[in-house]
Amino acid sequence: MSGERSRTDRTTLLARNDLVFIDFDGTISVTDTGIAVIDALELDEAWEIEHQWRRGEIDSMECLTRQWGMVDLARGAVYRMIDSFELDEGFNELAEAAIQIGAGLVVVSDGLDFYVDRMLGRLGWETCPGEEVIKRPRRCIPRFANHGRVTDHGVEISFPHRSPDCDQCGNCKTAHLQRLRAHFSRVIYIGDGHSDLCAARFADLVFAKDALAEDFAQSGRPFVNFETLAEVNEVLLAPRTR
Ligand SMILES: [Mg+2]
Ligand SMILES: [Zn+2]
């Protein structure tokens, strides 16, 4: 197998009983929301924390808690900032096609639910608990994320999806993938970053950009490179569903 796949290759087309695992930050949102917040508020120390996490020196829970702990903003300012971040509107075509075809689609984020929900809301979607993906809901987007509660002095974080088998992630994407795959015949992974490196290795078809693409290229694993979700849709969706 190679990273090159033909657009007309039937085996890549999204089918009923496929499970689409899609990352949020940098994949549905154009830039990583945490990084965008750090940059917008010029939180230079938060970059050091980010690098510690990427080097594996601290887990994502410590990373997120320390970074968001630096965000001392009133509620309205947090929401205004979140509302200024750009989204990849190709997500809508993908999500609508998954519903039409009867495939599962779940958003998996090691970021925070409050901004995932708010930003997907801007695209016109409600969200629901990630576990609902096995029921193929037609009116909401199932999502797993860490919990962020917006207060008058910033954002309080908790980790409802910690996995006892993983000491790296707040919301372990690998644990979700391994548990949910029994309900589907194939797992398709779409992601961009460090929090996707582990889980994507267990998927059957991988769309990757940035750090995830570099990692897969270096280790010789097959993947389809993409920059925008429109490019993913080109490969995954037959013309009749587009
Ligand atoms: Mg990401
Ligand atoms: Zn993990």
Side-chain angles (χ1 to χ4, degrees):
M1 295 218 292
S2 82
E4 301 288 319
R5 281 185 172 84
S6 152
R7 282 178 190 180
T8 53
D9 184 347
R10 283 169 172 276
T11 62
T12 65
L13 291 181
L14 185 65
R16 198 179 148 69
N17 291 327
D18 282 344
L19 171 60
V20 178
F21 245 63
I22 181 166
D23 170 55
F24 185 79
D25 283 307
T27 301
I28 299 174
S29 71
V30 172
T31 50
D32 184 291
T33 306
I35 300 297
V37 169
I38 289 170
D39 284 345
L41 301 179
E42 297 180 18
L43 301 171
D44 294 339
E45 288 156 55
W47 266 112
E48 180 47 37
I49 298 169
E50 183 72 19
H51 292 306
Q52 286 174 11
W53 171 64
R54 290 184 187 179
R55 290 194 298 262
E57 294 164 15
I58 58 171
D59 63 36
S60 76
M61 290 173 280
E62 182 176 346
C63 178
L64 280 169
T65 305
R66 285 169 58 193
Q67 286 178 332
W68 281 95
M70 296 177 183
V71 177
D72 184 16
L73 288 179
R75 244 176 258 261
V78 170
Y79 291 135
R80 270 195 302 281
M81 189 169 56
I82 296 298
D83 291 346
S84 74
F85 299 148
E86 206 186 325
L87 295 164
D88 185 334
E89 297 188 359
F91 176 77
N92 283 341
E93 187 180 25
L94 179 62
E96 281 157 14
I99 288 169
Q100 200 187 334
I101 292 165
L105 179 140
V106 62
V107 173
V108 283
S109 173
D110 212 0
L112 303 178
D113 53 4
F114 85 90
Y115 67 70
V116 171
D117 293 355
R118 191 171 175 97
M119 289 161 91
L120 288 178
R122 257 165 65 201
L123 292 179
W125 298 99
E126 283 184 26
T127 62
C128 50
E131 296 295 346
E132 293 197 17
V133 69
I134 62 177
K135 297 189 234 159
R136 278 45 159 216
R138 299 187 67 85
R139 289 192 176 77
C140 63
I141 302 293
R143 58 102 179 95
F144 292 110
N146 302 304
H147 182 51
R149 195 171 75 86
V150 182
T151 74
D152 287 331
H153 326 277
V155 181
E156 283 176 14
I157 299 183
S158 58
F159 301 96
H161 301 295
R162 283 190 72 163
S163 164
D165 301 323
C166 174
D167 59 5
Q168 279 300 307
C169 322
N171 180 28
C172 184
K173 299 181 183 188
T174 306
H176 293 309
L177 191 155
Q178 301 285 44
R179 187 182 68 254
L180 292 170
R181 76 176 314 150
H183 300 272
F184 298 87
S185 52
R186 182 172 71 152
V187 179
I188 297 166
Y189 201 101
I190 307 167
D192 76 316
H194 292 80
S195 71
D196 304 305
L197 296 184
C198 177
R201 295 179 179 198
F202 296 97
D204 304 300
L205 172 60
V206 174
F207 293 85
K209 63 175 169 177
D210 300 338
L212 182 63
E214 278 167 41
D215 178 81
F216 266 57
Q218 267 175 19
S219 54
R221 292 182 163 85
F223 69 100
V224 181
N225 196 233
F226 77 99
E227 281 307 314
T228 67
L229 292 175
E231 293 168 28
V232 174
N233 296 340
E234 286 265 312
V235 179
L236 215 46
L237 307 181
R240 66 179 166 77
T241 60
R242 310 191 70 217

